[in-house]
Amino acid sequence: MKQIKVTLELGKDGYGIWFDEIPNVFGFGETVEAARQDAKDALKFFIQTLEKCNQPIPEILQGEYELVFEFDIEALLKHIEGTVTKTALAKAAGINPAQLSHYSTGLKKPREAQRKKIVAGLHKLGRELLSVS
């Protein structure tokens, strides 16, 4: 099954979405769940519009596919706010807490290596929580 990457970005009033492989299709939601649903609706509307206009459907949208949602770091940190402290995540990821705060406010954008460390740190915290019995 084909995978279509959907990026969730934090905006002023919620979460914006865009597709790497499908230009000019966007969505929005006040919550992550609403943005995910809007992504599905946006693709459905896009396909319907192409069909009505007798335009070809992009190959990636033909047949079965699944949407794979990825957060940008600012959106990820906002999404986990109240669930995981920045201090705990910074420790698990091996990143300076002040630097993590800069990422969460959008003051700075992390390099790819830092982004991977943050995601790995979050996964590490998740494994630790799942190990509790």
Side-chain angles (χ1 to χ4, degrees):
M1 181 179 302
K2 296 175 276 193
Q3 294 186 333
I4 299 174
K5 181 180 165 194
V6 185
T7 301
L8 288 122
E9 292 183 323
L10 187 62
K12 182 179 175 185
D13 298 318
Y15 296 89
I17 58 104
W18 54 275
F19 302 86
D20 282 3
E21 297 96 348
I22 308 164
N24 303 317
V25 178
F26 306 96
F28 177 82
E30 291 181 6
T31 65
V32 170
E33 294 76 24
R36 286 180 174 163
Q37 184 59 52
D38 199 51
K40 294 171 187 173
D41 294 342
L43 277 185
K44 184 177 178 181
F45 179 73
F46 178 65
I47 292 168
Q48 289 173 345
T49 301
L50 290 174
E51 289 173 343
K52 284 181 184 177
C53 296
N54 294 318
Q55 296 294 315
I57 307 295
E59 186 176 328
I60 196 161
L61 295 174
Q62 296 176 13
E64 292 192 30
Y65 58 85
E66 70 174 324
L67 301 181
V68 177
F69 292 90
E70 285 191 9
F71 288 90
D72 76 345
I73 291 300
E74 189 179 352
L76 174 65
L77 295 173
K78 175 67 176 173
H79 183 62
I80 65 170
E81 198 173 79
T83 304
V84 175
T85 67
K86 288 184 187 120
T87 303
L89 180 55
K91 184 177 178 182
I95 294 176
N96 182 303
Q99 189 69 25
L100 193 61
S101 288
H102 290 307
Y103 297 152
S104 70
T105 61
L107 185 63
K108 294 187 177 181
K109 297 285 183 192
R111 297 182 321 272
E112 184 61 23
Q114 289 290 85
R115 184 189 152 324
K116 288 180 179 179
K117 286 173 81 173
I118 293 167
V119 171
L122 189 57
H123 289 176
K124 179 181 176 185
L125 289 172
R127 284 190 303 275
E128 289 174 10
L129 290 171
L130 286 171
S131 72
V132 174
S133 57

